[in-house]
Amino acid sequence: MEMPVPDAAIISGKDRIVARLVAALPPGTVISDPAETLAYECDGLAAYSCAPLAVILPRTTAEVSAALKICHEMSVPVVPRGAGTSLAGGATPTADCVILGIARMTEVLEVDLDSRIIRVETGRTNLAVTGAVEEHGFFYAPDPSSQLACAIAGNIAMNSGGAHCLKYGVTTNNLLGVTMVMMDGTVTEIGGAYLDAGGLDLLALICGSEGQLGVVTEATLRILPKPEGARPVLIGYDSNEVAGACVSDIIKAGVLPVAIEFMDRPCIRATEAFANAGYPDCEALLIVEVEGSPAEIDEQFAIILEIARRHDPVELRQSASPEESARIWLGRKSAFGAMGQMGDYMCLDGTIPVSQLPFVLRRIGELSDEFGLKVGNVFHAGDGNMHPLILYDANAPGQLELCEAMGAEILKLCVEVGGCLTGEHGVGIEKRDLMTYQYAPEDLEIQMAVKDVFDPGWLLNPAKVFPLGASAARRVAAE
Amino acid sequence: MRPETEAELAHMIADATGPLRIVGGGTRSFGAGAGEALSTAGLSGVTLYEPGALTLVVRAGTPLAEVEDVLAAEGQRLAFEPMDHRSLLGTSGAPTIGGMVAANVSGPRRIAVGACRDFLLGVRFVDGMGRVLKNGGRVMKNVTGYDLTRLMAGSYGTLGVISEVSLKVLPIPRACLTLALDGLDDARAVAALSRALGSPYEVSGAAHLAAGHKHTMIRLEGFDASVAYRAEQMRALLAEFGDWQLEEDCTVWQEIRDVTALQGGGDVWRVSARPTDGPMLAARATGADVVYDWGGGLIWLRVPVGTDVRAALGDFAGHATLVRAAPEVKARLGMFHPATPPVAAIEAGLRARFDPRGILNPGLMTPREGAA
Ligand SMILES: Cc1cc2nc3c(=O)[nH]c(=O)nc-3n(C[C@H](O)[C@H](O)[C@H](O)COP(=O)(O)OP(=O)(O)OC[C@H]3O[C@@H](n4cnc5c(N)ncnc54)[C@H](O)[C@@H]3O)c2cc1C
């Protein structure tokens, strides 16, 4: 992945920049010792790393504002950072940037159960948001698998999804308001503890903007009452086509499962070897989870099972207890770990129309043969969000490049069948140069024009999302 | 002007020399209205419908009723329950998909499933320079680049003229029940609605008609046995508020959706606020006729002509939109809530990029400057 040539003038001005930041911020807020900034040199896309100029770890919105104002005046690029779990390289530094991490801002500012909202500082982890309301029977719905570590700030910046988004939606559907600091230090409030912020839908722009429009320091989120219970059913099929048809039929029948997960044979075999969950050795495996009281779950199971049987399954197993549920989920939950045991992997997340599932899985199999790299598929089938895991050997020369080339082919395929490059992980640096497959030049131009409005100097996370060639003029003009 | 294709639409906008007034079905004509009329009626038809994938792609000028028929034939619907503005605004004509999206029109089910913008998967539109642009697509999850799709929802045609949208649709549940109770005052009613919405029983409507019988309503939808079970649980949960009646007829929600209680004379305001603030805010608008939806978070107010409701409400978290009033009242009070200076500056910046000549529905959403 190419990165822009760092600005030598900024790098040589490091001492001056750090001195101004240190003078303006409380002790311990600015880190510039290379031994300490090391921890910030990459995010979840660990194949790419680069030490930043310095790291700022503010404790308040006012400190964020003061820091940004200085960086703005000195034209220093800023890369906002939450917990650094981005899989797309959204938080990857450049040598001439300052990392602005909000991990120290973790407070719960308000809980209003009657209005069903929580307001938090955005350094709080996703799981800790639910943690703050759980005892009252509420939860925060978007639940990325990284929820123990990832911050709400990163969730907002990436518009993250989770296992339950088929029913509850992704971050943008659960975000009501933000406090955001603009690059010039201006603090602004958008939305709040009410539905549909007034005026243009700026929240929609901010959510998913990958830290390029402003630094979000506080968020008002919708919380929901916990369902009475949830149980999965496991269904195995001998062909991907049939499994795909079963998914469509379940969706059409009016059942609204919280999750429909799909695993293909390579992935089933890998997880069986690793976790021994007792999955059948079949072509395609579905896990469908529904919620409600025991009787309500049974009512939905009856419908799902009837549909599943119509398609002649090789395995059909419904959970009747928490233990059985855990066993059904065990393999799915260890899928990434199991694939990781087999080697290094790259995880893509292109989304496709559900009707294209069988075709796309077949093509991925063919690409796997062509490139000579193993692929396992485990993904959210209900909404067509694929997660092909391509195995490679990071230590073998050329393998990373081969893997990336194959990844690019898969993502182009997703776009060709009417889908998109990324369903929940974001563009970052990883898919930046593939954007031209999904968008015409003028479609990218209008998006960059939006960034012009929020950040005219192109200082916020400038090397992400847009192909470097497309954003070059703006980034250069800004210097 | 009445383009028959997206390309024609693009040419007409590129060649326009003065302001354009974008018209769908004309049923939500909220005001402004200078400029030559540009009708989207020629851009009509469903281009793709995959019931098994819950996706619909449809041209902007397509009548909403036509779309609803197509969906109903497969047992599906637009789950956000778009309001029909005709009775409230006294307009005629046939609402279009484009108008619905441009005004982000949603109904009572918004609290459970989301607003129109939450069901919007992608858009094609022509900006103020005549450029044909697209964003999003037709899949359920998409974070590829900035979300201009949702930005277009609720932009009232001021950023571009929508030519085609993709929407997520949902199956129509088999059963619906309404729990109803008369006689609660506003604060008690909202307390009951909050309790209902805080339960695991998946409320899909929570409204209170403050006038007359003081009618409070809670809607449950789903499979038969499930809805019956939830209704019983709910009655027990809310027993302290009174003896809730079960009604199988859910058509009453259409009246809530369309705010039929406030049709006729007077100005109508729509206030979005923190649900528990609802009764306090309604009380500040002394003498208003009040309808609460969204568990108290959406407050419809009918007031005497020319009343400045924003002044009466004072400082609060939320916003007040003047939905129905004579043009001179709208001109004086402004349809949209004023924005803070930073937000107004961002909005002005966006308008300058999407419509540099300022020809698309000029003045409809502006000015928004001024302290909030
Ligand atoms: C094991 C694993 C599993 C995962 N599972 C999922 C999953 O199921 N679903 C899913 O959607 N994602 C998943 N992810 C991806 C990742 O966890 C999400 O993208 C997450 O939201 C990133 O949050 P973060 O706090 O780590 O952000 P970071 O990685 O620190 O940053 C992500 C982006 O947010 C920006 N940013 C950070 N803070 C701010 C701020 N305050 N203001 C503005 N911008 C900011 C950064 O600049 C960057 O562009 C997974 C990752 C891992 C490692």
Side-chain angles (χ1 to χ4, degrees), chain A residues 80-86 90 144-146 151 153-155 157 160-161 210-211 214 216 424 461:
Chain A
R81 182 180 172 104
T85 68
S86 168
S145 331
S146 51
N155 293 178
S160 301
E210 307 200 11
V216 178
E424 58 181 12
N461 219 3

Side-chain angles (χ1 to χ4, degrees), chain A residues 43-44 79-87 90-91 102 122 143-146 149-155 157-158 160-162 210-211 214-217 380 387 424-425 461:
Chain A
D43 59 17
V79 174
R81 182 180 172 104
T85 68
S86 168
L87 293 170
I102 42 72
T122 56
D143 56 344
S145 331
S146 51
C150 66
I152 289 298
N155 293 178
M158 289 312 198
S160 301
E210 307 200 11
V215 175
V216 178
T217 58
H380 315 303
H387 277 11
E424 58 181 12
H425 296 167
N461 219 3

Side-chain angles (χ1 to χ4, degrees), chain B residues 39-245:
Chain B
S39 166
T40 61
L43 306 166
S44 185
V46 171
T47 42
L48 178 133
Y49 177 31
E50 284 186 6
L54 305 177
T55 39
L56 172 81
V57 183
V58 55
R59 295 201 187 91
T62 314
L64 189 51
E66 195 178 312
V67 169
E68 283 169 342
D69 287 347
V70 169
L71 296 178
E74 291 287 338
Q76 299 186 337
R77 67 181 177 193
L78 298 173
F80 50 93
E81 208 174 3
M83 164 182 186
D84 183 339
H85 277 86
R86 283 175 291 189
S87 67
L88 190 70
L89 298 182
T91 49
S92 56
T96 62
I97 285 288
M100 170 193 83
V101 171
N104 187 28
V105 179
S106 319
R109 207 176 289 107
R110 195 259 174 270
I111 37 163
V113 300
C116 174
R117 54 92 91 176
D118 294 297
F119 286 80
L120 199 60
L121 306 175
V123 282
R124 296 181 62 87
F125 64 98
V126 177
D127 76 0
M129 295 302 281
R131 290 171 293 206
V132 177
L133 301 170
K134 65 170 184 308
N135 191 263
R138 63 176 172 101
V139 288
M140 297 295 160
K141 278 167 83 183
N142 189 343
V143 296
T144 320
Y146 296 166
D147 187 351
L148 306 186
T149 301
R150 289 192 172 77
L151 178 69
M152 293 307 292
S155 66
Y156 290 84
T158 63
L159 298 180
V161 179
I162 299 169
S163 51
E164 187 178 87
V165 301
S166 337
L167 290 159
K168 175 183 176 179
V169 299
L170 283 179
I172 300 172
R174 298 185 194 174
C176 179
L177 275 182
T178 301
L179 281 87
L181 181 67
D182 283 347
L184 297 180
D185 68 26
D186 294 15
R188 288 281 288 165
V190 169
L193 297 178
S194 283
R195 173 107 39 108
L197 286 161
S199 77
Y201 309 124
E202 299 193 349
V203 170
S204 78
H208 176 70
L209 293 165
H213 298 293
K214 303 185 175 175
H215 196 57
T216 312
M217 285 176 287
I218 295 164
R219 180 172 61 186
L220 299 167
E221 294 173 296
F223 294 104
D224 301 85
S226 167
V227 168
Y229 162 77
R230 288 174 182 206
E232 278 321 307
Q233 296 294 111
M234 190 69 85
R235 285 190 71 191
L237 181 74
L238 302 181
E240 72 169 83
F241 293 93
D243 185 19
W244 296 77
Q245 299 303 302

